[in-house]
Amino acid sequence: MIERVRAVLVTADDTMLVIRRTKPGIPKYWVLPGGGVEASDESREAALHREIHEEIAGKADIVRLLHTMESEEERQLFYLARIATWSFDDRTGPEFSAEGRSEYALEEIPLTAEGLDRIDLQPEEIAHVLRGAISAGGLAGEATH
């Protein structure tokens, strides 16, 4: 089974970092930073730290596991994390140099229901989980304090 790790990266300004994906012939959509767990990763958390470094040259403090999605082929683990520094210009992941991989653009969106409503965050299930957590008043305060 393929395992992927992704992070809800909350900034000090109570925004969330997301990656806008643009592919020819497909409406633009957004994903959370992260990627596949590799055999060389010591743990899922180590994989997430590696992916955050590759994708946004950032360092994050993982707060907790937020949600897990599982199908027959894949398990995705979504973590809540605080991030203080990042540099999209210094990313190193192989996906950014591969031919034909489309566009990746880092964006900061408000960690609010309105902020989420302005983007098509995929997978839809994590967008639903985030909306529920935001309406319960939990994520921003939990991640930044």
Side-chain angles (χ1 to χ4, degrees), residues 74-90:
E74 178 179 77
R75 177 182 300 127
Q76 289 195 70
L77 297 108
F78 295 88
Y79 290 85
L80 179 62
R82 289 183 297 270
I83 188 155
T85 61
W86 62 91
S87 172
F88 204 54
D89 292 335
D90 295 325

Side-chain angles (χ1 to χ4, degrees), residues 1-2 10 13 23 26 32 42 52 63 65-66 82-83 102 104 114 118-119 141:
M1 173 179 287
I2 296 171
V10 180
D13 296 329
K23 297 180 178 183
I26 298 174
L32 297 171
E42 292 181 17
I52 291 168
V63 175
L65 180 64
L66 181 65
R82 289 183 297 270
I83 188 155
S102 70
Y104 289 72
E114 295 80 16
R118 290 199 315 254
I119 66 171

Side-chain angles (χ1 to χ4, degrees), residues 17 52-59 83 85-92 106:
L17 300 179
I52 291 168
H53 176 72
E54 288 176 359
E55 290 192 0
I56 62 171
K59 291 188 186 293
I83 188 155
T85 61
W86 62 91
S87 172
F88 204 54
D89 292 335
D90 295 325
R91 60 192 174 172
T92 60
L106 186 67

